[in-house]
Amino acid sequence: MKKVLGGNVKTKVDWPVFLLSGGILLLFVLLSVFNVEGISWLVNKGFDLSIKYFGAYWQLLLIATFIVGLGLSLSRYGKVRLGNISKPETSFLKWTAIIVTSGLGAGGVFWAAAEPIYYFMEVPPMHTGIEAATSAAIGPALAQSYMSWGFTAWAIYGAISTLVIMYAHHNKGMPLKPRTLLYPIFGEKIKTSAWGTFADVACIIGAAAGTIGPIGFLGLQVSYGVNSIFGWADNYTTQVLIIVLLTIVVLFSTLTGIEKGIQWLSNLNVTIAVAIGIFLLLFGPGQFIVDSFVSSFGTYMSEFITISTYRGDQEWLGYWMLFFFGWFIGFGPLVALLVARISRGRTIREVFLVVSVVASLTTNFWFTILGGTGISYELENPGSISGPLFENGLPAAIIAIANNMPLGSIMPSVFLILTILFVVTTVDSMSYSIAMSVTGEGDPPKIIRVFWALVMAIIAIILIKIGGGGISALQSFVVIAAVPVSIIMLPLLWHAPRIAKVMAKEQGIISNHEENVVSSPDKPSIKVTEI
């Protein structure tokens, strides 16, 4: 493919990866068309097996990934600068905005509003002896939300995987593909290895399925919202029009490039979210939000091990915490690719702190602003939020909360716009990462990005037509895809520190006098400088 949108660029598309990943998605859609109940049953069975046999492993993997990243960032290795340049290419605020909004994505509104209320009304099983829907349930409800979207979950998005990808790409000439995560094991062979193809396909499927689901649910949720606000028909035509609108915005962003499109969308997302946050702190239950965040974060930290390693109620775990953990893992490699693409010139310490700490704290406070506001209204007027939530599901939570806010006549529309922007950012970011995965280029051709954005939107439209079961099955399919992806992520726990050590030696950060024999990223055993 030589001629592409945006210029004459020679591009090598990895056709086996392209056809296999696209083919599996197409097969899923075709099977759903002919037998959506059957495919839903099959996927749900796979989901249950994934949770049963890999759930405990995922819990430990997330904790270990965070600990290794934290250790590297606090050590002298944290000073290692990535990407072979002396200063960052992107400003700190823009860089942080892209990471936070791309990682948070569709969860930025609907889960932020609904998840804390669910936990408030039905206290998670590890928090025993607490009566639901009382002041005592506030801390556990928000703390559980923090765990689902907290330090360990965000760590899988690039705490150590970004380090491995950037070293292999900038120092060893490896492509910007998920398979590059396996470079420390296979070396140069991973470029053409079947294991590399498997890694790319598994990671693309996980990210694509996880993106298509929110597109479909956006159509359903915004359709519900405009019906509640404006009285428009809540039907298939409205849902398709919403997805078409979303796709047009994505294509506009795609054609303007990452330096303009994704950055612009991310900045707009952050600006609106900050404005809403300030508005609610000043004119909403501001004191309640601040108090709830401080006390609930204390609960999160003091019960961190208890919550993150809970294994009691398997059904609850699969429906809630492990579902989110599997979701983060499934998205992990492609988000890490995006982080690697925009983090050139950053240090290991900066990457870890922004991906694992800043993004987590920002997400937790945002969940407190929306979910905490909903809890406040529920305490004042029981049933005002929980009633619509339990009757109509996720879309009703944010609409009910917004209706109770100051300026309640316009706030539901504001949140619908913010939801669309969050999902647009996710689709744009993931189409970019998928395009990198099938070309290996940091600036993939726009035609490839456009293709994946269109494919994901079209699949979402088809699945909505089939029925909600198809989209729900695809959401569950992300967790199944997390199984092979989580295995790919495991070796990073010991290879990332070794790579950091090699880079620290090359950059003169560690002493040249202390040496030991350790495994290098290139060969099983060579002599490198050790602290």
Side-chain angles (χ1 to χ4, degrees), residues 376-526:
S376 174
Y377 295 151
E378 181 68 21
L379 282 170
E380 294 175 1
N381 184 14
S384 60
I385 310 299
S386 61
L389 174 65
F390 289 131
E391 183 177 344
N392 298 305
L394 284 178
I398 186 58
I399 299 299
I401 294 172
N403 280 330
N404 282 274
M405 289 178 181
L407 301 179
S409 60
I410 66 171
M411 291 306 289
S413 300
V414 172
F415 277 105
L416 288 181
I417 293 171
L418 183 61
T419 303
I420 292 173
L421 287 174
F422 266 118
V423 176
V424 165
T425 305
T426 298
V427 177
D428 197 9
S429 301
M430 287 302 100
S431 63
Y432 195 99
S433 294
I434 293 173
M436 283 195 291
S437 299
V438 298
T439 64
E441 297 182 2
D443 292 300
K446 293 173 183 177
I447 189 66
I448 304 294
R449 295 171 58 192
V450 167
F451 171 82
W452 279 101
L454 289 174
V455 164
M456 290 189 288
I458 292 170
I459 291 176
I461 289 172
I462 294 172
L463 292 179
I464 287 179
K465 182 65 175 177
I466 294 170
I471 295 179
S472 297
L474 194 62
Q475 294 274 75
S476 299
F477 191 64
V478 182
V479 176
I480 299 174
V483 172
V485 173
S486 66
I487 296 172
I488 293 170
M489 304 290 275
L490 178 63
L492 304 182
L493 296 176
W494 53 89
H495 285 302
R498 289 168 175 169
I499 289 175
K501 180 174 291 187
V502 171
M503 296 184 73
K505 177 187 176 184
E506 293 173 350
Q507 296 180 21
I509 293 172
I510 63 175
S511 170
N512 288 320
H513 301 294
E514 301 174 57
E515 296 185 344
N516 196 6
V517 175
V518 298
S519 295
S520 84
D522 304 304
K523 295 181 180 179
S525 182
I526 65 172

Side-chain angles (χ1 to χ4, degrees), residues 124-164:
M126 70 282 290
H127 303 283
T128 57
I130 296 175
E131 184 179 352
T134 64
S135 296
I138 297 172
L142 289 171
Q144 189 61 52
S145 298
Y146 299 165
M147 178 58 66
S148 299
W149 303 77
F151 297 132
T152 58
W154 274 94
I156 212 72
Y157 273 173
I160 57 178
S161 52
T162 295
L163 159 64
V164 175

Side-chain angles (χ1 to χ4, degrees), residues 4-22:
V4 297
L5 289 177
N8 293 308
V9 181
K10 267 193 172 182
T11 301
K12 184 179 179 181
V13 174
D14 190 329
W15 288 108
V17 171
F18 187 90
L19 294 174
L20 281 171
S21 55

Side-chain angles (χ1 to χ4, degrees), residues 277 279-292 365 373 376:
F279 174 77
L280 289 175
L281 287 172
L282 293 176
F283 303 105
Q287 188 67 48
F288 181 88
I289 291 171
V290 173
D291 291 345
S292 297
F365 190 62
T373 296
S376 174

Side-chain angles (χ1 to χ4, degrees), residues 13 41 108 120 133 140 144 153 179 205 229 240-241 249 260 266 273 293 296 337 363 371 386 492:
V13 174
W41 179 89
F120 178 70
Q144 189 61 52
R179 70 177 65 201
I205 290 297
I229 300 168
V240 171
L241 288 175
V249 178
K260 295 181 180 178
S266 300
F293 177 71
S296 300
L337 276 180
T363 302
S386 61
L492 304 182

Side-chain angles (χ1 to χ4, degrees), residues 133-449:
T134 64
S135 296
I138 297 172
L142 289 171
Q144 189 61 52
S145 298
Y146 299 165
M147 178 58 66
S148 299
W149 303 77
F151 297 132
T152 58
W154 274 94
I156 212 72
Y157 273 173
I160 57 178
S161 52
T162 295
L163 159 64
V164 175
I165 292 171
M166 293 188 73
Y167 171 79
H169 177 64
H170 293 290
N171 295 65
K172 298 298 178 180
M174 293 296 294
L176 277 174
K177 294 183 177 183
R179 70 177 65 201
T180 297
L181 291 169
L182 298 175
Y183 172 76
I185 300 174
F186 295 96
E188 293 281 341
K189 294 179 181 179
I190 198 61
K191 281 185 179 180
T192 56
S193 170
W195 288 110
T197 300
F198 171 78
D200 289 347
V201 171
C203 294
I204 289 173
I205 290 297
T211 306
I212 294 166
I215 295 173
F217 279 116
L218 177 77
L220 298 173
Q221 292 163 349
V222 176
S223 179
Y224 171 88
V226 296
N227 174 263
S228 301
I229 300 168
F230 306 111
W232 297 358
D234 182 8
N235 56 26
Y236 182 65
T237 301
T238 303
Q239 294 154 8
V240 171
L241 288 175
I242 291 165
I243 295 177
V244 169
L245 173 63
L246 175 145
T247 306
I248 291 172
V249 178
V250 170
L251 294 181
F252 173 79
S253 175
T254 296
L255 294 175
T256 56
I258 190 171
E259 287 77 14
K260 295 181 180 178
I262 294 178
Q263 282 190 18
W264 182 82
L265 282 172
S266 300
N267 291 337
L268 182 60
N269 262 319
V270 170
T271 300
I272 295 177
V274 169
I276 290 173
I278 293 173
F279 174 77
L280 289 175
L281 287 172
L282 293 176
F283 303 105
Q287 188 67 48
F288 181 88
I289 291 171
V290 173
D291 291 345
S292 297
F293 177 71
V294 173
S295 61
S296 300
F297 193 78
T299 302
Y300 171 54
M301 295 304 295
S302 64
E303 300 184 21
F304 181 84
I305 299 299
T306 300
I307 299 174
S308 60
T309 59
Y310 176 75
R311 296 294 301 159
D313 190 330
Q314 292 297 308
E315 183 178 359
W316 183 90
L317 280 171
Y319 197 75
W320 290 107
M321 192 168 75
L322 288 181
F323 170 79
F324 289 115
F325 284 1
W327 190 271
F328 272 87
I329 291 171
F331 268 104
L334 263 66
V335 175
L337 276 180
L338 181 68
V339 174
R341 168 62 179 82
I342 64 174
S343 297
R344 198 173 183 199
R346 297 289 173 183
T347 64
I348 291 175
R349 183 172 296 138
E350 287 176 307
V351 171
F352 173 80
L353 288 176
V354 169
V355 173
S356 301
V357 180
V358 174
S360 174
L361 291 174
T362 302
T363 302
N364 294 164
F365 190 62
W366 176 246
F367 268 58
T368 310
I369 289 174
L370 290 193
T373 296
I375 290 174
S376 174
Y377 295 151
E378 181 68 21
L379 282 170
E380 294 175 1
N381 184 14
S384 60
I385 310 299
S386 61
L389 174 65
F390 289 131
E391 183 177 344
N392 298 305
L394 284 178
I398 186 58
I399 299 299
I401 294 172
N403 280 330
N404 282 274
M405 289 178 181
L407 301 179
S409 60
I410 66 171
M411 291 306 289
S413 300
V414 172
F415 277 105
L416 288 181
I417 293 171
L418 183 61
T419 303
I420 292 173
L421 287 174
F422 266 118
V423 176
V424 165
T425 305
T426 298
V427 177
D428 197 9
S429 301
M430 287 302 100
S431 63
Y432 195 99
S433 294
I434 293 173
M436 283 195 291
S437 299
V438 298
T439 64
E441 297 182 2
D443 292 300
K446 293 173 183 177
I447 189 66
I448 304 294
R449 295 171 58 192

